[in-house]
Amino acid sequence: MLLKGKRFVVTGIASKLSIAWAIAESLHREGAELILTYPNDKIKKRVDMAGEAFNAVAVLPCDVASDSDIVACFDKIVEIWGDGIDGVVHAIGFAPAEQLDGDFTEVTTREGFAIAHDISSYSFVALAKASRELLKKRQGSLLTLTYEGSISVLPNYNVMGLAKASLEASVRYLASSLGADGIRVNAISAGPIRTLAASGIKSFRKMLDMNEKIAPLHRNVTQEEVGNASLFLLSPWASGITGEILFVDCGFNTVGMSEQMLMDNEE
């Protein structure tokens, strides 16, 4: 019960396949109390299921595209946990579907670019602003999720790669800004996982197959493994870590060219 008595706010649960679900499951397993959020009524039933599964203290609406929604959500959290929280999990990313299919230069629009960065990157800063005083009371931490596409070009990931690069920069800037309050800020760069969000990327199944061939462990990472790594970063065991991007991808990020790629080319 590593986190007994600890309190966390978890955003981004969309289904049982969500990385956010696995994170909430890991936190709950170790004794943490949870408040879960949902962006709209369409997702609410799924988050309610998670709330029941993890005995959540509350399930609250929070559309991160709306500052007033974020404020209203954290006003409710203050009513429940006014003496502080131990962490906020930001597991949110979105770009319009047409931005994730085709040549980057051709398909990227001003509107699509703005939406991807607002929902996928700025929302993390917005949650940090809203939760700062609560986190300060318990010297808590912020955690977000990123992906290899932030530093390497991946087919059809397009503007989300730029948004994730922005998100990773915000991890470093927030870590510097909030460090004096004792608040840590980190990210996990997870390997590809079959989630609802990933299903919007063209040829995602092929990406999974290729990742499995290239990664040193010769397999893809699981939601549970990302959940356990998140547990570590949110726990007292990681008290000296901030501003970091932790890769949980079976080693994919370390490989430029794999033996399997050479063998396939010889064939």
Side-chain angles (χ1 to χ4, degrees):
M1 304 294 282
L2 177 63
L3 299 178
K4 187 175 181 179
K6 303 290 186 181
R7 304 164 174 171
F8 295 89
V9 179
V10 180
T11 70
I13 293 177
S15 75
K16 286 187 176 182
L17 297 178
S18 299
I19 294 175
W21 180 291
I23 294 174
E25 188 171 41
S26 294
L27 296 175
H28 172 68
R29 185 186 71 229
E30 293 299 327
E33 298 178 54
L34 304 178
I35 288 178
L36 311 179
T37 75
Y38 63 92
N40 53 53
D41 290 339
K42 181 180 179 181
I43 302 295
K44 184 179 185 301
K45 289 183 179 179
R46 299 171 187 172
V47 182
D48 283 339
M49 287 175 55
E52 292 179 10
F54 307 133
N55 195 28
V57 174
V59 175
L60 303 175
C62 186
D63 179 358
V64 295
S66 165
D67 286 334
S68 61
D69 254 38
I70 294 173
V71 170
C73 178
F74 277 88
D75 282 346
K76 289 284 187 181
I77 294 171
V78 168
E79 292 178 12
I80 300 168
W81 288 335
D83 56 343
I85 59 178
D86 297 282
V88 176
V89 176
H90 172 270
I92 298 170
F94 175 79
E98 68 274 8
Q99 302 291 297
L100 305 176
D101 182 5
D103 178 75
F104 170 73
T105 308
E106 294 296 325
V107 302
T108 304
T109 64
R110 185 182 299 274
E111 180 182 12
F113 186 100
I115 291 172
H117 281 74
D118 181 36
I119 304 300
S120 307
S121 180
Y122 177 72
S123 63
F124 187 46
V125 179
L127 290 180
K129 291 165 71 76
S131 62
R132 182 174 192 169
E133 291 305 313
L134 286 171
L135 289 169
K136 183 178 179 180
K137 291 178 179 181
R138 288 189 166 217
Q139 294 194 328
S141 62
L142 290 151
L143 179 71
T144 189
L145 298 174
T146 184
Y147 182 50
E148 174 77 15
S150 64
I151 56 176
S152 302
V153 177
L154 296 173
N156 298 308
Y157 202 58
N158 292 350
V159 74
M160 277 300 295
L162 280 67
K164 290 297 188 182
S166 169
L167 178 65
E168 291 182 15
S170 73
V171 167
R172 293 183 285 272
Y173 276 87
L174 286 170
S176 176
S177 172
L178 301 176
D181 292 332
I183 300 170
R184 299 183 297 109
V185 188
N186 294 292
I188 284 181
S189 184
I193 294 175
R194 191 175 284 112
T195 63
L196 286 178
S199 66
I201 302 172
K202 185 179 179 181
S203 302
F204 183 74
R205 287 180 181 273
K206 293 181 179 179
M207 291 173 65
L208 280 173
D209 292 342
M210 183 61 69
N211 193 88
E212 186 174 312
K213 290 180 179 180
I214 295 174
L217 292 181
H218 299 292
R219 64 176 178 84
N220 288 307
V221 72
T222 67
Q223 282 97 329
E224 291 75 16
E225 287 172 322
V226 179
N228 288 332
S230 301
L231 168 66
F232 164 67
L233 285 177
L234 291 165
S235 78
W237 287 355
S239 59
I241 301 174
T242 194
E244 290 295 324
I245 313 297
L246 175 63
F247 284 90
V248 185
D249 62 356
C250 294
F252 179 88
N253 75 94
T254 65
V255 179
M257 183 179 297
S258 70
E259 189 71 23
Q260 184 65 49
M261 292 171 69
L262 290 175
M263 293 172 60
D264 289 346
N265 189 56
E266 289 175 359
E267 293 173 1

